């Protein structure tokens, strides 16, 4: 259902086509838009298409009767606030009473003057717009209607009050218009029933004064004008002054009560509708607020996720930077070591070869002399020659050890063996042990436990670097006397190099950090924290792994496992 786009639309429900066209002509001449329905069923279908501002319905209709149509309209939340004006050719008070009880907001005879009909239409539309202001929540609850009776006739006033109290209303009495206005300033009433003819200020002036005042009232009251003189002119004057209805004092009390109930029902219905609208508005605002909070939470979650992702990316970039730095340091270190060993090999090899050659020649000469002239030489001279030959032999052995050291240095650096190839692991281990022998002498017992298998395909220089770092750490972990066991073995398809010491051990909280670049527990100046970090990356590049077991005070065991079927 929808509302008209502009203007006020009036739905005329009349089974007589002639009467319907007459009403349409009257309404359109007064500036209203109108549409006709010739039965109650057709009227309901029409309202499904477009909601009118007001409905004029005939009491007698084929199919659904006018009173039943009123009930159905008021049962629907979307149409219950539409004002209904009931028409009938039956002018009996019983019919009027029945129509008002069915839910009609006003009741007009078909024989009524056209001007009065239009005044009642304007009045219902004015009330409909006015009553859509927001009501006081406290007045919207179930309660008794509060009615003010303003009449200078004490007899009629008391009689009417008794009728209304029987109706269940709270009634306040005022003998003059001035008293009525004073009561209205003090109490919030639902309805004012005012006599049209009174001394000093009559009902018309009273109603005009109320019309000026009640535009600012949150819960407007309805006005029912009473008069002993019921005619067209008085009805028109009352409605034009702002009264919501006009009833003659000669009207039966049952009809008057029915008209009052219709006015109050209309008022309370609109208050209830507005309360429902306000509740819907509040729920909609709550839903919007919940949606906004949800969106804000999702935005915060997305922001937090974005920050977490950025932090993770930053951490990853930092990790890669540290790894790159480690590789650079490793490369520079190996390059420096290579240059050092190359220099030593170049500077020592030539004089070493010359010295070894001369020592060999001198030894041969002394042996020849002793063999040819030993008997002719004095005992003292022969003893000195023997001693000289022995010293030359010792010198040769010393020079051989120097040559062995140079060879081991070259074996360690593998400057001439940087490619991927098969090496003798035991030879590599011995070269490292020789290089570190000066750090172990006289305090560390070295135990070798080599397995039968010795060949392993790898990058020899890098593997020597790993073994060098691990054995050096084992040596540094033993402050005084201790034992280091170096061994090899085969486990499944892995070649195992194991280094075990009985040194100080590694605390449990540090085991997870031993591969972090620059992490070290050694005193300042004695460790860079790069040894195991470099070793870890080298073993990882060989598709192997490093296993560490350690206990504080009992020592550490490090196992390096390299695949035996590794290819370049």
């Amino acid at each position: 259902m929808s509302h008209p786009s502009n203007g006020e639309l009036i739905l005329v429900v009349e089974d007589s086509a002639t009467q319907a066209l007459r009403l349409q002509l009257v309404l359109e001449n007064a500036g209203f838009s109108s549409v006709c329905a010739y039965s109650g069923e057709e009227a309901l279908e029409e309202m499904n298409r477009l909601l009118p501002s007001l409905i004029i319905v005939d009491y007698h209709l084929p199919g659904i009767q006018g009173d039943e149509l009123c009930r159905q309209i008021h049962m629907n939340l979307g149409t219950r606030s539409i004002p209904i004006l009931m028409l009938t050719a039956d002018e009996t008070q019983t019919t009027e009473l029945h129509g008002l009880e069915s839910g009609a907001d006003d009741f007009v005879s078909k024989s009524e003057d056209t001007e009065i009909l239009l005044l009642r239409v304007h009045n219902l539309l004015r009330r409909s717009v006015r009553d859509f202001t927001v009501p006081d929540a406290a007045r919207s609850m179930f309660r008794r209607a509060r009615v003010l009776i303003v009449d200078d006739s004490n007899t009629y006033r008391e009689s009417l009050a008794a009728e209304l109290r029987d109706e269940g209303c709270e009634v306040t009495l005022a003998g003059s218009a001035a008293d009525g206005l004073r009561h209205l300033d003090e109490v919030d009433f639902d309805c004012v029933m005012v006599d049209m003819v009174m001394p000093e200020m009559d009902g018309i002036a009273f109603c005009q004064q109320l019309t000026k005042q009640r535009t600012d009232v949150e819960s407007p009251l309805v006005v029912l004008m009473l008069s002993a003189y019921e005619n067209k002119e008085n009805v028109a004057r009352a409605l034009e002054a702002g009264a919501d209805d006009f009833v003659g004092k000669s009207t039966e009390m049952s009809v008057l009560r029915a008209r009052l109930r219709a006015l109050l029902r209309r008022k309370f219905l609109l208050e209830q509708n507005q309360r429902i609208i306000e509740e819907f508005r509040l729920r909609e605002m709550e839903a919007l607020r919940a949606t906004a909070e949800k969106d804000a939470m999702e935005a915060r979650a997305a922001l937090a996720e974005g920050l977490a992702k950025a932090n993770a990316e930053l951490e990853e970039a930092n990790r890669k930077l540290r790894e790159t730095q480690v590789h650079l340091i490793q490369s520079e270190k190996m390059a420096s070591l290579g240059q050092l060993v190359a220099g030593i090999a170049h500077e020592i090899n030539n004089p070493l070869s010359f010295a070894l050659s001369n020592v060999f020649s001198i030894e041969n000469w002394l042996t020849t002399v002793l063999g040819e002239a030993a008997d002719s030489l004095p005992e003292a001279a022969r003893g000195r020659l023997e001693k000289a030959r022995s010293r030359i032999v010792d010198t040769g052995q010393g020079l051989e050890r120097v040559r062995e050291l140079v060879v081991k240095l070259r074996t360690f650096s593998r400057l001439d063996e940087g490619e991927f190839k098969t090496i003798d692991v035991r030879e590599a281990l011995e070269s490292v042990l020789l290089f570190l022998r000066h750090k172990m002498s006289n305090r560390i017992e070295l135990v070798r436990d080599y397995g039968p298998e010795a060949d392993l395909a790898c990058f020899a220089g890098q593997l020597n670097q790993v073994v060098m770092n691990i054995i050096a750490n084992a040596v540094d972990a033993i402050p005084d006397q201790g034992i280091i066991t170096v061994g090899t073995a085969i486990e499944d398809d892995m070649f195992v190099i194991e280094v075990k010491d009985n040194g100080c051990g590694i605390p449990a909280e540090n085991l997870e950090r031993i591969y972090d670049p620059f992490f070290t527990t050694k005193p300042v100046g004695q460790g860079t924290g790069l040894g195991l970090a470099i070793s870890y990356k080298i073993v990882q590049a060989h598709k192997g792994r490093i296993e560490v077991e350690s206990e504080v005070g009992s020592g550490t065991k490090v196992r390096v496992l390299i695949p035996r079927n590794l290819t370049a």
Side-chain angles (χ1 to χ4, degrees):
M1 291 181 286
S2 60
H3 292 280
S5 57
N6 49 50
E8 290 180 308
L9 177 68
I10 297 177
L11 173 60
V12 177
V13 188
E14 170 64 66
D15 62 327
S16 169
T18 302
Q19 183 69 12
L21 290 175
R22 185 184 73 83
L23 284 173
Q24 275 194 294
L25 181 63
V26 170
L27 293 171
E28 290 174 3
N29 288 336
F32 297 105
S33 299
S34 63
V35 61
C36 282
Y38 299 100
S39 67
E41 292 83 356
E42 188 178 340
L44 294 176
E45 292 179 2
E46 190 67 40
M47 282 187 285
N48 282 332
R49 291 190 292 270
L50 197 65
L51 286 181
S53 302
L54 181 141
I55 301 172
I56 298 176
V57 56
D58 189 4
Y59 183 83
H60 296 287
L61 290 172
I64 299 177
Q65 288 289 308
D67 57 346
E68 178 59 28
L69 179 61
C70 289
R71 293 187 185 95
Q72 290 196 29
I73 291 172
H74 283 304
M75 286 172 63
N76 188 293
L77 184 61
T79 59
R80 64 189 303 183
S81 60
I82 300 175
I84 300 174
L85 176 62
M86 184 167 284
L87 291 176
T88 183
D90 187 352
E91 300 183 12
T92 62
Q93 291 188 347
T94 301
T95 304
E96 180 179 356
L97 180 62
H98 194 183
L100 292 172
E101 290 290 349
S102 68
D105 298 287
D106 206 345
F107 193 95
V108 178
S109 170
K110 288 186 176 181
S111 63
E112 186 67 81
D113 188 90
T114 300
E115 184 179 351
I116 298 299
L117 172 68
L118 289 175
L119 282 172
R120 291 193 177 276
V121 167
H122 280 291
N123 184 51
L124 285 174
L125 290 172
R126 183 184 72 239
R127 284 160 51 192
S128 177
V129 173
R130 184 191 71 208
D131 290 344
F132 260 88
T133 56
V134 178
D136 182 1
R139 291 175 51 82
S140 299
M141 305 303 291
F142 292 109
R143 55 181 173 79
R144 298 172 65 188
R146 290 186 285 271
V147 180
L148 173 63
I149 300 175
V150 183
D151 198 304
D152 61 334
S153 170
N154 184 60
T155 303
Y156 185 78
R157 196 169 61 237
E158 292 294 340
S159 174
L160 182 57
E163 289 287 338
L164 296 184
R165 289 191 180 102
D166 289 342
E167 188 73 12
C169 300
E170 295 179 7
V171 181
T172 301
L173 303 179
S176 66
D179 286 343
L181 292 174
R182 179 175 56 79
H183 282 298
L184 286 171
D185 288 337
E186 297 172 354
V187 181
D188 198 7
F189 290 97
D190 298 303
C191 177
V192 177
M193 303 181 73
V194 57
D195 189 5
M196 190 175 211
V197 180
M198 291 185 295
E200 297 181 2
M201 179 185 289
D202 63 10
I204 297 298
F206 178 87
C207 195
Q208 291 170 342
Q209 184 67 25
L210 281 183
T211 301
K212 293 178 183 179
Q213 294 179 354
R214 66 183 179 179
T215 55
D216 297 328
V217 178
E218 290 186 353
S219 183
L221 59 106
V222 293
V223 179
L224 180 61
M225 186 74 74
L226 302 172
S227 177
Y229 308 99
E230 186 176 2
N231 53 53
K232 172 186 172 182
E233 290 75 15
N234 284 342
V235 172
R237 287 179 62 206
L239 296 178
E240 288 173 352
D244 296 292
D245 202 354
F246 181 95
V247 178
K249 288 189 174 182
S250 61
T251 304
E252 288 186 6
M253 279 295 178
S254 59
V255 175
L256 188 148
R257 289 164 61 174
R259 283 191 170 273
L260 176 62
R261 283 197 298 271
L263 287 173
L264 292 174
R265 181 176 64 244
R266 175 74 182 165
K267 171 185 170 62
F268 292 154
L269 177 64
L270 291 174
E271 287 182 355
Q272 183 183 14
N273 283 349
Q274 194 60 36
R275 187 175 69 254
I276 293 172
I277 292 171
E278 182 67 13
E279 184 177 347
F280 284 164
R281 186 183 68 82
L282 291 175
R283 290 184 179 180
E284 183 178 2
M285 289 179 62
E286 191 66 30
L288 290 174
R289 186 182 299 109
T291 301
E293 290 177 356
K294 179 184 177 183
D295 292 343
M297 289 178 62
E298 290 178 351
R300 287 194 295 269
L303 179 60
E305 183 179 355
L307 288 174
K309 183 178 180 181
N311 287 336
E313 292 175 351
L314 183 61
E315 181 63 27
E316 179 65 16
N318 191 31
R319 184 187 63 80
K320 290 182 178 179
L321 180 62
R322 290 198 302 268
E323 290 180 356
T324 302
Q325 187 176 14
V326 167
H327 286 302
L328 287 174
I329 293 174
Q330 178 190 7
S331 299
E332 292 178 2
K333 183 176 180 180
M334 294 301 293
S336 299
L337 181 60
Q339 292 176 0
L340 174 63
V341 173
I344 292 174
H346 179 73
E347 296 296 330
I348 296 178
N349 272 341
N350 288 336
L352 181 61
S353 297
F354 175 75
L356 282 171
S357 177
N358 288 341
V359 166
F360 181 73
S361 297
I362 293 171
E363 180 189 356
N364 286 338
W365 293 339
L366 289 174
T367 302
T368 301
V369 169
L370 287 172
E372 292 176 352
D375 295 336
S376 60
L377 291 175
E379 184 67 26
R382 189 170 62 250
R384 285 193 295 271
L385 285 175
E386 287 286 352
K387 189 174 183 180
R389 189 176 70 83
S390 176
R391 293 292 177 85
I392 285 296
V393 172
D394 290 341
T395 301
Q397 292 177 352
L399 291 174
E400 285 292 342
R401 290 182 62 186
V402 172
R403 184 172 66 176
E404 182 184 3
L405 177 60
V406 172
V407 172
K408 294 297 184 182
L409 283 173
R410 293 187 63 201
T411 301
F412 169 75
S413 63
R414 300 292 182 180
L415 294 178
D416 56 348
E417 298 177 6
E419 75 278 8
F420 184 85
K421 63 180 298 183
T422 300
I423 65 167
D424 187 320
V425 177
R426 288 175 296 191
E427 180 185 345
L429 288 172
E430 288 299 323
S431 69
V432 171
L433 292 172
L434 177 65
F435 192 74
L436 294 174
R437 186 170 58 185
H438 69 285
K439 298 181 66 174
M440 296 186 287
S441 60
N442 301 324
R443 70 182 187 91
I444 296 177
E445 178 185 352
L446 185 63
V447 178
R448 294 173 174 84
D449 185 16
Y450 299 144
E453 296 288 339
D455 294 339
L456 176 65
C458 64
F459 292 96
Q462 294 182 8
L463 186 63
N464 280 343
Q465 178 79 0
V466 172
V467 175
M468 176 72 172
N469 289 333
I470 293 174
I471 296 178
N473 284 342
V475 173
D476 292 339
I478 301 175
D480 297 315
Q481 301 294 320
I483 301 174
I484 294 178
T485 301
V486 179
T488 62
I490 302 297
E491 291 184 5
D492 298 327
D493 58 346
M494 306 294 282
F495 194 101
V496 181
I497 302 172
E498 182 176 291
V499 178
K500 182 178 180 181
D501 67 74
N502 61 348
C504 60
I506 304 172
E509 62 271 16
N510 292 337
L511 278 177
E512 295 183 357
R513 303 181 59 193
I514 58 176
Y515 303 119
D516 292 347
F518 308 108
F519 174 76
T520 181
T521 58
K522 297 178 182 179
V524 177
Q526 294 187 21
T528 63
L530 294 174
L532 285 179
I534 293 172
S535 300
Y536 180 82
K537 296 302 295 182
I538 291 174
V539 173
Q540 191 177 48
H542 280 76
K543 299 180 181 178
R545 65 182 187 274
I546 300 179
E547 298 175 352
V548 179
E549 297 177 12
S550 186
E551 184 177 348
V552 176
S554 297
T556 302
K557 180 170 70 174
V558 180
R559 286 159 48 88
V560 178
L561 293 89
I562 305 294
R564 298 180 64 194
N565 56 356
L566 188 66
T567 58

